[in-house]
Amino acid sequence: MVEVKAKVINLKMYIDGEWKDAENQETRPVINPANSEVIATAPEGTVEDARAAIYAARKAFENGVWSGLSAQERASYLLKVADKIDEYAEELTELETLDNGKPLREAGGDIADAAACFRYYAGLITKPDGQTYHVADPMQAMVVREPIGVCGLIVPWNYPLLMSVWKIAPALAAGNTIVFKPSEVTPITPKKLFEIFEEVGLPKGAANMVMGAGPVVGNEIASHPEVDMVSFTGGTKTGKHIMKAAADTMKKVSLELGGKSPNIIFADADFETAVDYALFGIYCGTGQVCSAGSRILVEESIYDQFVARFVERAKQIKVGPGNDPATEMGPLVSAQHLEKVLHYIELGKQEGATVACGGNRIKSNNLENGFFVEPTVFIDVKQDMRIVQEEIFGPVVVIQKFKDEAEAVKLANGTVYGLAGAVFSNDGAKALRVIKKLRAGITWINSYHPTYNEAPWGGYKQSGIGRSLGTFGLEEFQEIKQININLQVEPVGWFEN
Ligand code: NDP
């Protein structure tokens, strides 16, 4: 077992290249979700702190210390950051597990992905872009992509470093300056990333980090007129607040929100593969994954067999502290989130659903001080139940039954969300037919969860606006400008005199 450091980490904000406490000196504790111990203190930033970061980013954008560099120069900084993430991978992995609770093998994967994401955007930004048009002589028209300006980036706690990097890497690659806010629940690895920025000599003011409550600091970022764009990942309810806060200044908004994603399993699927991926789809990350396969839809002829096998395996999942190598599923991220998940479990029972397994907080095996919940399965659910419609964001899955393709699609699309979805079938044509009918932005056939830096990530409907990752993720952080050049410089002659 990796030793948990007893020392409390004293976090600071990073504004204009300086490490800062909150202007009012207030802090809040950061808690280890495996045992409720205080592991760090974070500055409780204020509106004034947010403004200081915004002005620093504005100044840096205007004076061109970052936006004025060539793509190649910016890329070389990003590559150095990627190398440093690799160099500190072991420490970052331990810190991620300490703060978020996820098992070490999950945290290790996130850290490696974060380095790869910086490399991907370092490469992409140096590749050809823009367009030229053959318009009527003597004009020449072309399109260039430019940075948007100051980008506000607000991220959640489920992938503390990786969600930060999905925004920071493309935003910086494009030449923007940033004001970044981690979740107050998990600020430790993001702070380490900003130490890396300092270490590689990123120009002052290019990347600023403020901490503090979302409704205070986050709201200021979303509403401030000097912020040109806000990019947010988190709950749909918060996303709506952010959209409203951004509306007055008409800033560009990019939102990666929640989901209630369907995982459709046909009778002709490879049975054990489908069960295995269905478990991975919901219980990886303790269900705190926006794309989690939280609704399993199973064809009626194999429904009972599927539920029996799924429950048998769910009961065997080893739940424990993330820093125990034997752990397969860690705790929920916070006491507040534990309450929310337990509330949904109670609600499911009140709504008349049957708990096929789990349903309780775990207090045995020295887990009583952590935020551990059993892998939970609900059956006998109806489509209009809140546990079927709403994002629980925990290790809680509903298993529904369908008769045919049409019913599978209807149930799958029957929520306000549209983030992800999967189909398991050995009939390739049927699988693709169904996938094409899903109103969702991220889909898999005979798989669940793989995510690539190259491929766009984001949702339909109330799962968000815009895309992260890939070329699409870079374009989110770019403005588009048309340039029309007159190749024959003489008066237009529209007016006679
Ligand atoms: P939030 O969506 O509220 O938090 C995400 C980020 O937004 C945090 O940095 C938070 O700050 C910030 N924030 C909160 N309120 C505002 C605001 N008014 N203006 C600007 N920024 C704000 O997630 P919660 O932790 O509250 O979780 C609530 C639910 O959201 C979860 O139970 C889950 O269902 C869903 N969720 C979905 C995620 C996803 O990836 N789809 C990720 C996280 C949550 P801070 O927390 O520091 O105060």
Side-chain angles (χ1 to χ4, degrees):
M1 200 182 287
V2 175
E3 198 188 325
V4 172
K5 294 177 181 60
K7 196 167 148 274
V8 173
I9 304 165
N10 179 17
L11 300 169
K12 290 187 188 292
M13 302 185 285
Y14 191 66
I15 300 175
D16 210 8
E18 307 287 336
W19 293 101
K20 296 249 161 82
D21 292 318
E23 48 97 25
N24 61 10
Q25 304 300 313
E26 294 209 354
T27 60
R28 76 161 78 182
V30 180
I31 306 293
N32 178 349
N35 57 20
S36 297
E37 282 174 9
V38 175
I39 49 176
T41 58
E44 187 66 50
T46 64
V47 165
E48 288 311 316
D49 293 315
R51 287 182 186 160
I54 293 166
Y55 296 142
R58 171 56 59 194
K59 189 177 74 187
F61 184 74
E62 300 301 339
N63 68 22
V65 286
W66 183 251
S67 55
L69 299 183
S70 69
Q72 188 66 59
E73 286 169 320
R74 289 200 300 273
S76 73
Y77 278 104
L78 301 191
L79 291 171
K80 282 184 205 154
V81 172
D83 289 346
K84 285 285 167 196
I85 292 175
D86 282 343
E87 187 183 329
Y88 300 136
E90 199 179 330
E91 181 189 353
L92 282 163
T93 300
E94 281 179 37
L95 289 172
E96 201 72 312
T97 290
L98 185 67
D99 197 2
N100 168 279
K102 61 178 65 189
L104 286 168
R105 65 175 175 175
E106 284 183 29
D110 293 358
I111 304 309
D113 284 352
C117 188
F118 270 107
R119 289 199 179 94
Y120 174 78
Y121 282 110
L124 188 62
I125 198 62
T126 60
K127 299 300 174 287
D129 74 352
Q131 297 175 346
T132 57
Y133 305 124
H134 298 287
V135 294
D137 279 346
M139 297 300 292
Q140 171 67 57
M142 64 182 184
V143 162
V144 293
R145 292 187 174 277
E146 297 185 335
I148 294 176
V150 174
C151 295
L153 314 177
I154 302 172
V155 302
W157 39 255
N158 53 343
Y159 290 83
L161 185 71
L162 192 58
M163 287 301 106
S164 310
V165 170
W166 280 16
K167 297 187 189 306
I168 293 173
L172 288 179
N176 300 285
T177 57
I178 62 165
V179 178
F180 164 79
K181 191 195 103 57
S183 163
E184 282 303 87
V185 181
T186 53
I188 298 179
T189 52
K191 193 257 184 175
K192 183 77 197 162
L193 178 64
F194 277 72
E195 287 176 9
I196 289 175
F197 289 158
E198 185 182 39
E199 201 179 335
V200 304
L202 207 75
K204 282 187 182 196
N208 305 275
M209 175 179 58
V210 279
M211 298 178 189
V216 179
V217 169
N219 185 65
E220 186 63 16
I221 293 170
S223 55
H224 198 285
E226 292 289 346
V227 175
D228 300 294
M229 179 215 187
V230 60
S231 175
F232 166 79
T233 298
T236 293
K237 203 168 149 207
T238 313
K240 290 178 185 177
H241 281 299
I242 287 184
M243 224 173 149
K244 284 178 192 152
D248 268 351
T249 49
M250 206 57 80
K251 54 176 63 77
K252 184 172 178 183
V253 174
S254 175
L255 303 169
E256 297 284 330
L257 308 176
K260 193 75 182 177
S261 299
N263 185 2
I264 303 170
I265 294 163
F266 283 98
D268 61 8
D270 184 284
F271 185 78
E272 286 299 329
T273 299
V275 171
D276 196 57
Y277 270 107
L279 287 158
F280 182 55
I282 181 62
Y283 298 126
C284 169
T286 319
Q288 304 165 116
V289 180
C290 54
S291 54
S294 50
R295 292 185 294 141
I296 303 174
L297 311 178
V298 184
E299 192 163 0
E300 61 185 357
S301 60
I302 60 160
Y303 182 84
D304 291 343
Q305 184 196 356
F306 183 93
V307 170
R309 180 72 177 132
F310 187 92
V311 164
E312 182 190 8
R313 288 204 51 195
K315 284 180 178 166
Q316 291 169 27
I317 291 174
K318 295 180 194 72
V319 183
N323 65 350
D324 180 346
T327 290
E328 295 177 320
M329 191 179 95
L332 292 166
V333 78
S334 67
Q336 192 189 6
H337 193 53
L338 171 73
E339 284 313 310
K340 178 184 159 180
V341 172
L342 292 176
H343 171 75
Y344 267 108
I345 292 172
E346 279 316 303
L347 187 71
K349 293 178 193 164
Q350 286 164 20
E351 286 182 308
T354 304
V355 178
C357 76
N360 301 297
R361 180 175 181 181
I362 305 175
K363 293 193 170 170
S364 54
N365 299 332
N366 294 324
L367 300 183
E368 64 278 3
N369 293 325
F371 313 131
F372 297 92
V373 171
E374 293 168 335
T376 298
V377 177
F378 275 110
I379 54 172
D380 301 326
V381 297
K382 296 200 179 74
Q383 183 72 3
D384 61 356
M385 286 180 178
R386 286 183 60 193
I387 57 163
V388 176
Q389 291 293 323
E390 297 177 18
E391 183 178 52
I392 299 173
F393 224 59
V396 181
V397 72
V398 297
I399 310 185
Q400 296 173 269
K401 198 185 285 184
F402 68 85
K403 280 194 302 291
D404 54 22
E405 245 179 90
E407 189 181 22
V409 169
K410 188 166 175 235
L411 292 173
N413 286 334
T415 75
V416 297
Y417 294 110
L419 190 59
V423 172
F424 283 80
S425 168
N426 276 337
D427 177 342
K430 177 166 69 180
L432 188 53
R433 211 161 50 228
V434 173
I435 283 288
K436 288 187 76 175
K437 288 186 182 140
L438 289 188
R439 303 285 300 153
I442 307 153
T443 63
W444 298 278
I445 293 177
N446 292 327
S447 183
Y448 209 100
H449 273 330
T451 307
Y452 305 100
N453 284 321
E454 296 83 351
W457 183 270
Y460 290 19
K461 294 156 63 179
Q462 292 193 30
S463 290
I465 299 174
R467 294 291 181 271
S468 294
L469 299 181
T471 54
F472 304 89
L474 180 65
E475 287 164 13
E476 289 287 313
F477 293 103
Q478 292 176 315
E479 281 286 13
I480 298 167
K481 178 180 281 174
Q482 60 164 290
I483 303 176
N484 300 294
I485 310 155
N486 187 353
L487 302 181
Q488 200 169 318
V489 184
E490 58 184 30
V492 62
W494 183 266
F495 299 107
E496 259 180 53
N497 299 305

